[in-house]
Amino acid sequence: MADRFAIILAAGKGTRMKSPRPKVLHEIGGRSMLAWSVALAKDLGCKRSVVVVGPDMPVLSEAAAKLVGAENVVIQHDQLGTANAVDAARDALKNAEGHAIVLYADTPLIPKEAGERAFAEIETGASVCVLGFRAKLPNRYGRLVTTTDGSLEAIVEANDATEAQLQIALANSGVMSAPVRLMFDLLREVKNDNAKGEYYLTDLVGLARARNLRAAAAQCEERDVQGVNSQAELAAVERVFQDGMRDQFMVAGVTIPAPETVFFSHDTKIAPGVTIEPNVVFATKVSVETGAVIRAFSHLEGAKVGPGALVGPYARLRPGAVIGKDAHIGNFVEVKNVTIGEGAKANHLSYLGDGEVGAGANIGAGTIFCNYDGFFKYRTVIGEGAFIGSNSSLVAPVSIGAGGYVGSGSVVVEDVPADALTIARGRQSNKDGWAKTFRAEKSAAKKAGQKPDGAV
Ligand code: UD1
Ligand code: CA
């Protein structure tokens, strides 16, 4: 099979986003739109992806360089149209032999199968292929003019179309594939004598036909090629993405009673047999194993939840939280960079940061791992079966041995041996009758109009 290449257009200013951030760095499912396009190109097996950016877009150029390498980021100096944008990749691809696909970085949800169809047409002899879709409201899209045998004759932009052509419902998604050398060859012939005075990539179809080459249209769904030009469209595409994830997980056997309130990232992994209660957010890099229950109003990021574990309601799992089999992380418990052993429990109101909790340990309400001294962070290690009394502060670095017992309200600054009891708080002393005497004296003084020194 011929090598594959991708040319990703990202030079648009994105003015309508009204955002200081470059448009294509806005995220869908926790991943930038640009990264979605790069990921698609990788999934399609592209050997290289060249990203076309505008001038004076340092933030975007840097982000693109991280994704594809600086040598694959090229600048389109003037925004003279989509053909001119692709042409900006000419030098970068001067030695490329094979087939290329053009993607718009503001169109993030193109499925791999759609890209495969575009390449397949070229691999079976078409010279240009565009991905078309049946548009509900085709108004501003380019229209695909097809012949009776279904092959593609031309693309006309809405501004240049006749009344009859505007009736065509088959619209251009913008995705185009062609042999690399032919694409750059045809690009030399593109002119800008059209309504917008731009160099249209879509002209490649007519130019190929003029050489008696075959052009093809592959089809996809409208929702797969929804582009983003405004914040509202960004949210609309996010909805498409979220609905897709929800459906996919439910089909795979995940129980989600209120799916419209649960939010996933592009890389969320949930096993069949997991239950996700309402209002749960999965930020990036989360996996949940079978039988686990994520209860309402929990937020998870960079966390692994083991089989049968119970998380929430109102739990926060941060990067590096690894929750063992059948462990419980309850309400208002925050876990960061801590491994929680099998069957261990932290059910209420705790901060567990940097450390490990052994199997079967019990962390009482209000326990805090004091992990930070303002400069460095330290680990707290709790052995198997240990019991941490409520409202204890464990000042790291510190360890509690297996089976150790920490009295409630302790501030633990030294290691606790296995199976020992530690009590690290002021000793209680009861003074019989003290309160009664105190009240009698004070009320007498008040009645006599006396005020102790310092009273206001
Ligand atoms: C383009 C297609 C149209 C298709 C539509 C789908 C052309 C001439 N028309 O129209 O047939 O239905 O997309 O959305 O190709 N860009 C650059 N540099 C430029 C111009 C554009 O990088 O000089 C980038 C834009 O940032 C954008 C993409 O190319 O991501 C499409 O450009 P845009 O001007 O929005 O094309 P449309 O007029 O929407
Ligand atoms: Ca557009």
Side-chain angles (χ1 to χ4, degrees):
M1 201 172 72
D3 282 340
R4 290 175 171 186
F5 298 87
I7 300 166
I8 300 173
L9 305 191
K13 288 203 183 66
T15 329
R16 280 192 282 156
M17 295 298 283
K18 302 200 174 145
S19 162
R21 192 160 26 146
K23 172 165 84 172
V24 300
L25 296 185
H26 287 75
E27 293 180 349
I28 298 292
R31 164 156 86 175
S32 76
M33 292 194 275
L34 177 61
W36 277 96
S37 296
V38 172
L40 169 63
K42 278 206 186 108
D43 283 354
L44 289 167
C46 290
K47 201 173 165 190
R48 278 173 64 198
S49 296
V50 175
V51 177
V52 180
V53 303
D56 310 317
M57 294 176 117
V59 176
L60 177 59
S61 300
E62 209 174 292
K66 277 206 187 108
L67 290 166
V68 298
E71 70 284 8
N72 291 315
V73 180
V74 299
I75 294 178
Q76 182 197 17
H77 292 280
D78 300 295
Q79 302 253 296
L80 304 177
T82 45
N84 180 253
V86 173
D87 203 57
R90 181 183 292 276
D91 271 0
L93 291 175
K94 65 172 182 288
N95 296 320
E97 291 292 343
H99 301 159
I101 191 164
V102 176
L103 304 171
Y104 295 171
D106 63 3
T107 308
L109 297 185
I110 300 165
K112 183 183 176 211
E113 303 72 59
E116 284 294 353
R117 283 196 289 277
F119 272 124
E121 290 290 350
I122 305 303
E123 282 154 7
T124 54
S127 293
V128 186
C129 173
V130 300
L131 203 54
F133 63 98
R134 302 253 157 225
K136 276 194 280 310
L137 287 171
N139 39 22
R140 68 194 170 83
Y141 291 115
R143 306 298 206 277
L144 303 191
V145 182
T146 48
T147 56
T148 40
D149 70 350
S151 70
L152 185 61
E153 201 51 45
I155 306 180
V156 275
E157 290 304 297
N159 286 329
D160 305 298
T162 63
E163 268 311 311
Q165 287 168 332
L166 287 174
Q167 301 312 306
I168 299 172
L170 195 58
N172 175 23
S173 68
V175 176
M176 179 183 281
S177 53
V180 187
R181 304 280 38 109
L182 177 66
M183 181 181 278
F184 285 111
D185 194 27
L186 292 173
L187 277 172
R188 292 190 198 280
E189 297 173 21
V190 174
K191 303 208 169 53
N192 65 347
D193 50 356
N194 52 52
K196 277 177 146 181
E198 284 188 4
Y199 295 89
Y200 289 165
L201 183 63
T202 46
D203 284 0
L204 294 201
V205 173
L207 291 168
R209 292 295 301 123
R211 293 190 189 187
N212 269 320
L213 298 170
R214 185 162 72 81
Q219 280 211 38
C220 65
E221 299 293 324
E222 181 158 20
R223 64 167 181 276
D224 295 339
V225 288
Q226 222 170 304
V228 172
N229 298 294
S230 63
Q231 300 290 346
E233 287 174 0
L234 182 70
V237 170
E238 180 74 38
R239 266 195 299 280
V240 171
F241 166 75
Q242 293 296 345
D243 284 341
M245 292 296 273
R246 292 161 184 155
D247 286 350
Q248 190 184 309
F249 283 132
M250 289 189 287
V251 166
V254 179
T255 302
I256 316 177
E260 67 284 3
T261 68
V262 176
F263 295 84
F264 299 101
S265 287
H266 67 99
D267 57 356
T268 308
K269 293 190 177 67
I270 313 271
V274 167
T275 296
I276 304 166
E277 291 186 358
N279 297 297
V280 171
V281 174
F282 294 93
T284 55
K285 298 196 175 89
V286 174
S287 65
V288 183
E289 291 185 55
T290 190
V293 178
I294 311 299
R295 303 197 59 196
F297 295 100
S298 294
H299 188 283
L300 298 84
E301 177 179 12
K304 287 196 170 83
V305 178
L310 184 56
V311 172
Y314 299 97
R316 177 162 186 214
L317 302 187
R318 292 175 50 206
V322 178
I323 313 303
K325 183 170 182 280
D326 298 325
H328 291 186
I329 299 298
N331 42 278
F332 306 105
V333 173
E334 175 178 344
V335 182
K336 186 215 70 173
N337 193 27
V338 173
T339 299
I340 308 279
E342 181 171 338
K345 290 178 185 161
N347 271 328
H348 332 267
L349 302 157
S350 285
Y351 173 62
L352 314 180
D354 299 310
E356 55 194 84
V357 174
N362 189 92
I363 312 284
T367 297
I368 306 291
F369 287 10
C370 307
N371 63 326
Y372 186 46
D373 63 7
F375 297 91
F376 299 101
K377 293 192 174 150
Y378 306 90
R379 284 166 54 81
T380 298
V381 177
I382 295 178
E384 282 189 17
F387 183 97
I388 312 299
S390 295
N391 202 32
S392 293
S393 301
L394 309 179
V395 183
V398 73
S399 70
I400 314 295
Y405 207 100
V406 172
S408 295
S410 290
V411 177
V412 180
V413 297
E414 283 168 26
D415 290 352
V416 175
D419 292 321
L421 165 69
T422 189
I423 303 172
R425 61 177 187 234
R427 176 172 279 281
Q428 182 169 341
S429 72
N430 296 342
K431 296 190 166 56
D432 287 339
W434 182 93
K436 201 174 173 191
T437 312
F438 174 82
R439 279 192 297 270
E441 282 175 16
K442 293 292 166 186
S443 74
K446 199 164 186 179
K447 263 188 207 136
Q450 296 164 354
K451 251 191 194 178
D453 283 352
V456 290

